[in-house]
Amino acid sequence: MFIQRLITSLILIPLVLGLIFFASPLALAGVLALITCLAAWESLDLIPVKKPPVQMAFVLALILSLWACYYAFFYWLPLGMVLWAFICLAV
């Protein structure tokens, strides 16, 4: 089991580092979105929903939220700063 994990890490570490340092930001975002969707699909085994349409709706909602965060990033930062300021004033 250790050898399998070691081989996997020796293969994936250069690929991930190459993706981070040399790929375009859009390619990095696409790969991270794909990994997130695969992780979401795997996490569906932890909840008692076994109907494929409901599972697909969950993954689709995740894809749409990732898309919204990607295109609305520059709006989230000022909104978060304003919220942070209100929290600081409340304390």
Side-chain angles (χ1 to χ4, degrees), residues 30-50:
V31 170
L32 290 177
L34 179 68
I35 291 170
T36 303
C37 289
L38 290 174
W41 188 260
E42 284 294 319
S43 70
L44 285 172
D45 290 336
L46 299 174
I47 57 176
V49 175
K50 299 298 178 194

Side-chain angles (χ1 to χ4, degrees), residues 6-83:
L6 182 66
I7 292 171
T8 303
S9 66
L10 288 175
I11 292 171
L12 287 179
I13 287 173
L15 289 175
V16 169
L17 289 176
L19 184 70
I20 290 171
F21 290 118
F22 300 116
S24 68
L26 189 60
L28 180 62
V31 170
L32 290 177
L34 179 68
I35 291 170
T36 303
C37 289
L38 290 174
W41 188 260
E42 284 294 319
S43 70
L44 285 172
D45 290 336
L46 299 174
I47 57 176
V49 175
K50 299 298 178 194
K51 296 178 182 177
V54 177
Q55 292 176 338
M56 291 301 289
F58 173 73
V59 175
L60 183 64
L62 179 72
I63 291 170
L64 289 175
S65 65
L66 286 172
W67 176 80
C69 288
Y70 178 74
Y71 283 106
F73 172 74
F74 295 108
Y75 301 113
W76 287 108
L77 186 61
L79 196 68
M81 290 174 63
V82 168
L83 181 64

